[in-house]
Amino acid sequence: MPARIHEPDDATIAAAAARLAEGGLVALPTETVYGLGADARSDAAAAGIYAAKGRPAGNPLIVHVAAGAPPTAWVRSWTPQAARLADAFWPGPLTLVLAASEHASTTVRAGGDTVALRCPDHPVAQRLLAAFGSGIAAPSANRSGSISPTTAAAVATELAGAPGELMVIDGGPCPVGIESTIVDVSGPAPRLLRPGTITAEDVAACLGTPLEAAGAGSPAHPGSAPRHYAPGTPLVLAAPDELASAVAGAHATREPFVVLARAWPAGVPSTGGTLLELPGTLPELARDIYRLLREADGAGAARIVCELPEGSGIGMALRDRLTRAATPAG
Ligand code: AMP
Ligand code: MG
């Protein structure tokens, strides 16, 4: 049965909260990407997320919480570092990993003893959280490994094969556009598990201590898989000074190709190629990158050539996503 897109009116929010309370799934907008939500206290409800996404078991889910009071029920201790980061960045695209209480279902935690918490900065997500009255476990609303959806229509395409009729709440295009920064504050030193638009430098400045990079001892998570966020069409990445030769290489194959770049490289013939223009600033690029990758993937081309952004901060987060998207399958 197909996914069905609903306007975010009060009747939709009430129906979505009721569906969550029954153990069902609801796709909801957040400022980062669309999430596939379920009652975070329920093993059975969370199991539905893994089934619908084809997500490997053992990869835990982020629990979304309402704005306002600290989410103390979900953790063994709401630590000073967590309080400081939440004060600075919530609601917003920062996920905190903490020692878990029994409140989060074992399935949400993938059997581990930590829980990932985030307070989303999106009015529709917050209305649903308030109506539901508890935490909503929600990974990105795509099939496991593929491109995260940043529109309701992209969710409907991704999860068309989900069992039952999936309720998708339309909150418009996601303004941040890539997944949240994840910081593990459960141990002695804070660790960056996934870069995002709130940068490691922002987090370190707030805490007054540098972040450790996620290393060998980190829990496995799908965002850390070498191939992730990937289109079906082969993707070739090029730094700005390598773009001309990468596009010339694609042209030489005589097969149709798409170029994702700020501009067509000077002096390179464009026969067989289509330019999808990338915006100039890093926040705009984060907002648009998954939509443009999806559009490029749907163009029926033999390959996609994408210009890599430079710089630290959001540039690093974007290179992380694009590098994983370009990793060949298998
Ligand atoms: P997604 O929302 O699809 O981007 O997936 C959520 C991300 O958060 C995945 O990479 C998870 O593995 C990660 N995550 C969720 N819970 C935890 C946890 N307890 N410890 C570490 N990472 C987590
Ligand atoms: Mg995901």
Side-chain angles (χ1 to χ4, degrees), residues 32-36 50 53 55 58-64 95-98 100 108-110 112-118 138-142 144 148 179-180 182-184 186 191 193-194 218-225 228-229 321:
T32 58
V33 303
Y34 275 74
L36 182 62
Y50 287 84
K53 281 182 60 94
R55 183 176 177 104
N59 294 319
L61 308 176
I62 293 172
V63 178
H64 294 72
T95 297
L96 301 175
V97 173
L98 286 144
V108 162
R109 292 182 275 122
D113 55 8
T114 59
V115 65
L117 297 173
R118 181 168 103 77
S140 52
N142 50 276
S144 187
S148 297
E179 302 79 1
S180 60
I182 305 181
V183 177
D184 184 345
S186 69
R191 282 186 313 154
L193 299 187
R194 179 171 72 187
S218 302
H221 57 103
S224 69
H228 199 66
Y229 319 108
R321 303 305 192 281

Side-chain angles (χ1 to χ4, degrees), residues 139-254:
S140 52
N142 50 276
R143 291 284 300 169
S144 187
S146 82
I147 305 172
S148 297
T150 54
T151 63
V155 176
T157 307
E158 278 289 330
L159 298 177
E165 186 190 272
L166 177 66
M167 184 172 186
V168 182
I169 310 177
D170 193 350
C174 300
V176 171
I178 61 169
E179 302 79 1
S180 60
T181 307
I182 305 181
V183 177
D184 184 345
V185 287
S186 69
R191 282 186 313 154
L192 181 69
L193 299 187
R194 179 171 72 187
T197 58
I198 293 177
T199 67
E201 293 81 3
D202 297 334
V203 173
C206 174
L207 292 177
T209 173
L211 298 189
E212 284 182 3
S218 302
H221 57 103
S224 69
R227 179 177 169 84
H228 199 66
Y229 319 108
T233 312
L235 175 63
V236 177
L237 303 177
D241 62 351
E242 298 165 343
L243 184 65
S245 69
V247 173
H251 176 261
T253 64
R254 298 170 158 269

Side-chain angles (χ1 to χ4, degrees), residues 180-329:
S180 60
T181 307
I182 305 181
V183 177
D184 184 345
V185 287
S186 69
R191 282 186 313 154
L192 181 69
L193 299 187
R194 179 171 72 187
T197 58
I198 293 177
T199 67
E201 293 81 3
D202 297 334
V203 173
C206 174
L207 292 177
T209 173
L211 298 189
E212 284 182 3
S218 302
H221 57 103
S224 69
R227 179 177 169 84
H228 199 66
Y229 319 108
T233 312
L235 175 63
V236 177
L237 303 177
D241 62 351
E242 298 165 343
L243 184 65
S245 69
V247 173
H251 176 261
T253 64
R254 298 170 158 269
E255 292 178 313
F257 63 102
V258 175
V259 176
L260 289 167
R262 287 169 295 175
W264 195 270
V268 181
S270 61
T271 335
T274 306
L275 176 69
L276 292 180
E277 211 176 304
L278 297 181
T281 71
L282 291 173
E284 290 170 322
L285 186 53
R287 181 194 64 196
D288 293 348
I289 191 66
Y290 287 147
R291 180 179 57 76
L292 290 168
L293 275 175
R294 230 171 240 290
E295 192 178 334
D297 201 19
R303 59 186 56 67
I304 302 167
V305 178
C306 180
E307 181 182 13
L308 271 176
E310 299 183 297
S312 59
I314 300 176
M316 184 181 111
L318 284 165
R319 288 196 302 279
D320 167 75
R321 303 305 192 281
L322 287 167
T323 305
R324 295 179 202 285
T327 301

